[in-house]
Amino acid sequence: QVQLVESGGASVQAGGSLRLSCAASGHTNRRYCMGWFRQSPEKERQGVARVQREGVALIDSDGDSIYSDSVKGRFTISQDNAKNTLYLQMNSLKPEDTAIYYCAADFFCARPLPTPDSYARRYGMQYWGKGTLVNVSS
């Protein structure tokens, strides 16, 4: 079992930056496929399934990463294995980035590493955090 806890969500103005963190605990003695996903608060209230969450970035156990077109060039995924922490640096934020951001993990990433947009729906992720809210105002 792996437990994931996100933090760093906040309200910011368009053009601003945030860094999200995801602290992992439990069976962290191996590397996992890690990703950041997001879902609008409205869809969350509607109870839309987690597999429908939009993937924004993935990083595999070798450190290779990939981004959705909507965030490429603005977001950076990274991890500190010594701290068992995953990060998402978000720059040049836009109102359309407003969402609940979820950290997720699985034993392996699909190969070749696919674009993350529909990754959860196509491949699933084993472990999920509870999310952190990012609100970007214009």
Side-chain angles (χ1 to χ4, degrees):
Q1 286 282 350
V2 175
Q3 293 78 43
L4 303 171
V5 179
E6 303 93 337
S7 61
S11 294
V12 297
Q13 289 193 324
S17 298
L18 281 175
R19 189 177 80 157
L20 304 183
S21 299
C22 171
S25 61
H27 291 174
T28 57
N29 58 340
R30 57 159 290 167
R31 295 191 179 181
Y32 291 82
C33 171
M34 304 291 297
W36 287 99
F37 298 76
R38 64 187 183 186
Q39 183 161 281
S40 69
E42 180 178 358
K43 287 187 176 180
E44 186 68 20
R45 285 191 294 271
Q46 292 173 350
V48 173
R50 61 176 61 175
V51 295
Q52 299 296 332
R53 292 170 181 169
E54 175 195 3
V56 298
L58 293 169
I59 187 166
D60 70 10
S61 57
D62 295 327
D64 294 330
S65 59
I66 193 166
Y67 300 88
S68 66
D69 287 344
S70 62
V71 306
K72 193 178 299 181
R74 300 188 297 123
F75 290 10
T76 303
I77 189 171
S78 63
Q79 57 189 359
D80 185 332
N81 292 319
K83 296 182 179 180
N84 294 322
T85 302
L86 180 74
Y87 301 101
L88 185 68
Q89 178 66 44
M90 305 187 296
N91 299 328
S92 303
L93 282 161
K94 304 175 181 180
E96 51 264 43
D97 294 320
T98 293
I100 301 170
Y101 283 74
Y102 300 90
C103 169
D106 207 340
F107 297 105
F108 302 101
C109 283
R111 281 293 191 176
L113 201 57
T115 56
D117 308 63
S118 58
Y119 190 95
R121 178 173 55 81
R122 295 173 64 189
Y123 303 104
M125 293 294 276
Q126 185 73 17
Y127 304 106
W128 292 85
K130 295 184 182 298
T132 185
L133 178 62
V134 173
N135 185 54
V136 185
S137 58
S138 57

